[in-house]
Amino acid sequence: MKILAIETSCDEAAASVVANGEEILSNIVATQVEFHKKYGGIVPEIASRKHIEVINPIIAEALEKANIGFKDLDAVAVTYGPGLVGSLIVGLCAAKAIAYSLSIPLIGINHLEAHIYANFLNSKSQVPNFPFICLLVSGGHTMLILVKDHGEYEVIGRTRDDAAGEAFDKVARFLKLGYPGGPIIDKLAKEGNPDAIKFTRPMLARRSSKSGGGLEQGYDFSFSGIKTAVINYVTRDAGCTTKDIVASFQQAVVDVLVTKAIRAAKEYKCKTIALGGGVAANSRLREELKERGQKQGQEVVIPPHSLCTDNAAMVGCAAYYKLRNNQTSNFDLQAVASLKL
Amino acid sequence: MEIKTRSADETIELGKKIGAFLMPNEIIALSGHLGAGKTTLIQGIAVGVGVADYVTSPTFIIINEYNGRLPFFHVDLYRLNDATEVEDLGIEEYFERGGVCVIEWAEKLGDLAPKNFQLVKIEILGENERKICVSSELAARLK
């Protein structure tokens, strides 16, 4: 069972061939260095408008790397939301054209669901057992998801303002450290003191109720306040080095994420915590979630870096389980910018 | 008109008042430094427009769409470098879809800026204090 998967929800255009939902035969991302060497051009910060230029080359590359042709495909999977409509449409059109011309099933996939499925591309022994908690952290999303079974999700917490990855990028840019902020802060923080400054840890209190809806905030996140606290601190010029500032900022973010993930796993009686999204590449988050999770008897599953950031292999994996349940899409499948899980 | 707010909650309350009066195809352009409270004010505006969902930062995705008593488009141009990138994204398509369009970092629109927008500027006065300048048309409605 070979599925060609396409992902163009935001900045990245990606294509992959996945066999039986577990074996990655190819995994091409347009901004990857190798692909760029071959086709030239710089790696743009915002690539969405370039999707239309790279979509056919990356599909061809994915098939070539997998050593197969179009006729060997059993289905085509594509992300249809959430994302930027103009970006999503490029992938959708390509996927529909291929599926239609080959008379094979088309499978629309939710981008958030695909991030969860990155955990099923680990080696077999590492696949999380249901039910589990997935902490999804990226530049655009931060959520805690209770995964009950294939296709059965309950979002139990999400950010009220900025995504965690966005806070990293904005703090890095404010401190003039460069882009992307995540890896830069991760590296610099290793030389700093994470306890130098005690930045605010919003929403760590259980069931605090502030304004803004008055809903129970038990598992929701807020990172805008941490970002503003860093800006205020720097504006005051309170004396710490940049290394200490970023180490303390990172610690505040990681602290909130890990505490809430472990609390959720306990309350929902899950034995496993899985990680997904680009921020899952942060070394402090990985270490602390493993360490504190394992202390509490939790198994912590983390996909390799290349499967945490946006990619198409995770889309192909999610599609395999949909196809097994005959959940295919019609050709009138539309891009849904604000698609929910 | 200048309005001073002393907390994020007060900024949200101001946003609610602004949002309550907005009509189809109105565009609010916001400017202010990082951490000024642009998204906070917009969260209030969204409540005023009747959006029940949480309004989160669209920085990464650039445009978030919601439904209230009117469609609500939250645009953030923070990651864009110049007006040609704005053009490539087709943001002007959102200006006339019968909804309310709120744009952060609107100064990046350059020549693509619509003529009929209402400007709101946020200045940081202190840790929690903000000075919010609204266009005279918005100010008239707030009275």
Side-chain angles (χ1 to χ4, degrees):
Chain A
M1 173 73 70
K2 294 188 182 72
I3 298 178
L4 170 69
I6 298 169
E7 151 71 44
T8 60
S9 64
C10 195
D11 287 357
E12 295 288 10
S16 167
V17 179
V18 179
N20 304 318
E22 56 178 22
E23 193 187 348
I24 302 171
L25 301 182
S26 64
N27 190 16
I28 312 296
V29 178
T31 56
Q32 269 169 359
V33 179
E34 314 96 79
F35 184 83
H36 260 269
K37 265 192 208 145
K38 202 163 165 184
Y39 293 93
I42 50 155
V43 179
E45 200 174 302
I46 298 167
S48 64
R49 66 205 166 106
K50 296 283 175 204
H51 289 350
I52 204 145
E53 292 166 27
V54 297
I55 191 76
N56 285 334
I58 59 166
I59 291 169
E61 180 90 358
L63 292 172
E64 196 188 313
K65 274 259 170 72
N67 210 13
I68 60 165
F70 280 113
K71 61 178 186 337
D72 302 309
L73 294 173
D74 297 291
V76 182
V78 64
T79 305
Y80 71 105
L84 193 58
V85 166
S87 295
L88 288 163
I89 285 173
V90 176
L92 263 171
C93 288
K96 283 182 187 175
I98 295 167
Y100 186 77
S101 66
L102 296 171
S103 300
I104 56 175
L106 173 73
I107 307 155
I109 297 293
N110 181 319
H111 179 76
L112 303 169
E113 185 175 20
H115 272 302
I116 298 170
Y117 273 91
N119 287 286
F120 288 84
L121 286 165
N122 280 331
S123 64
K124 261 201 174 137
S125 58
Q126 280 271 304
V127 166
N129 293 314
F130 299 111
F132 64 91
I133 292 290
C134 183
L135 172 63
L136 201 169
V137 266
S138 69
H141 306 281
T142 303
M143 42 177 64
L144 272 172
I145 304 154
L146 172 62
V147 186
K148 297 171 188 166
D149 201 342
H150 288 294
E152 273 187 56
Y153 319 104
E154 187 183 334
V155 178
I156 57 174
R158 47 185 269 201
T159 184
R160 290 280 183 106
D161 40 55
D162 295 2
E166 176 185 343
F168 273 87
D169 278 343
K170 286 187 169 169
V171 164
R173 197 175 284 208
F174 183 77
L175 294 169
K176 301 192 170 58
L177 300 176
Y179 182 91
I184 295 169
I185 288 180
D186 191 355
K187 202 174 157 204
L188 205 58
K190 286 188 171 52
E191 299 164 31
N193 174 9
D195 301 317
I197 310 154
K198 185 84 178 165
F199 286 123
T200 173
R201 277 131 168 94
M203 301 205 165
L204 257 195
R206 232 177 224 279
R207 316 221 189 295
S208 68
S209 79
K210 238 177 63 178
S211 71
L215 293 164
E216 185 184 291
Q217 298 178 356
Y219 292 107
D220 277 353
F221 301 100
S222 165
F223 294 108
S224 177
I226 305 180
K227 170 193 74 185
T228 309
V230 173
I231 292 170
N232 283 337
Y233 182 88
V234 176
T235 310
R236 276 202 313 271
D237 191 17
C240 275
T241 62
T242 302
K243 285 171 187 170
D244 285 348
I245 294 170
V246 296
S248 301
F249 157 75
Q250 176 177 270
Q251 192 56 44
V253 174
V254 167
D255 218 15
V256 174
L257 291 172
V258 171
T259 303
K260 293 218 174 189
I262 292 173
R263 190 188 286 169
K266 266 190 182 168
E267 187 164 329
Y268 289 91
K269 298 188 171 51
C270 297
K271 293 194 176 68
T272 306
I273 300 172
L275 206 49
V279 182
N282 181 275
S283 60
R284 189 80 203 106
L285 176 61
R286 297 168 87 101
E287 281 162 20
E288 193 150 329
L289 186 62
K290 275 215 165 124
E291 199 188 301
R292 283 172 58 187
Q294 280 162 0
K295 246 185 219 163
Q296 302 284 331
Q298 296 288 331
E299 190 191 6
V300 176
V301 180
I302 306 176
H305 183 187
S306 61
L307 298 175
C308 288
T309 48
D310 286 354
N311 67 88
M314 63 184 192
V315 177
C317 179
Y320 170 78
Y321 291 96
K322 294 260 183 233
L323 193 58
R324 259 195 357 187
N325 289 324
N326 291 318
Q327 292 171 300
T328 60
S329 305
N330 295 323
F331 282 100
D332 59 5
L333 181 69
Q334 298 287 321
V336 183
S338 50
L339 186 65
K340 301 268 188 293
L341 194 64
Chain B
M1 182 170 82
E2 285 178 15
I3 299 154
K4 280 185 187 156
T5 62
R6 284 162 296 177
S7 66
D9 286 351
E10 279 189 27
T11 303
I12 288 176
E13 285 307 314
L14 175 65
K16 284 185 194 171
K17 285 183 197 154
I18 295 173
F21 295 109
L22 292 174
M23 290 172 289
N25 293 332
E26 278 207 279
I27 302 160
I28 305 266
L30 278 114
S31 76
H33 289 118
L34 205 59
K38 295 183 292 300
T39 302
T40 305
L41 183 69
I42 291 170
Q43 285 174 335
I45 296 176
V47 173
V49 175
V51 174
D53 213 346
Y54 298 170
V55 168
T56 56
S57 169
T59 295
F60 183 74
I61 212 79
I62 301 167
I63 301 164
N64 273 338
E65 304 182 27
Y66 303 90
N67 284 309
R69 65 181 162 81
L70 299 168
F72 188 81
F73 307 116
H74 183 184
V75 181
D76 186 349
L77 306 179
Y78 175 76
R79 297 199 304 137
L80 304 192
N81 295 308
D82 51 48
T84 53
E85 291 190 347
V86 178
E87 199 167 7
D88 285 334
L89 284 164
I91 281 163
E92 69 279 8
E93 283 170 31
Y94 289 85
F95 297 163
E96 290 180 345
R97 278 174 54 181
V100 167
C101 198
V102 186
I103 308 170
E104 298 191 43
W105 300 94
E107 51 271 36
K108 295 193 184 186
L109 280 170
D111 294 342
L112 291 168
K115 289 189 180 61
N116 54 335
F117 69 86
Q118 309 285 343
L119 185 66
V120 177
K121 275 191 201 163
I122 310 181
E123 263 181 62
I124 302 172
L125 297 179
E127 230 160 79
N128 298 307
E129 299 78 30
R130 301 289 185 268
K131 184 167 91 181
I132 300 169
C133 305
V134 300
S135 66
S136 50
E137 195 178 326
L138 279 183
R141 287 189 225 167
L142 286 173
K143 274 174 189 165

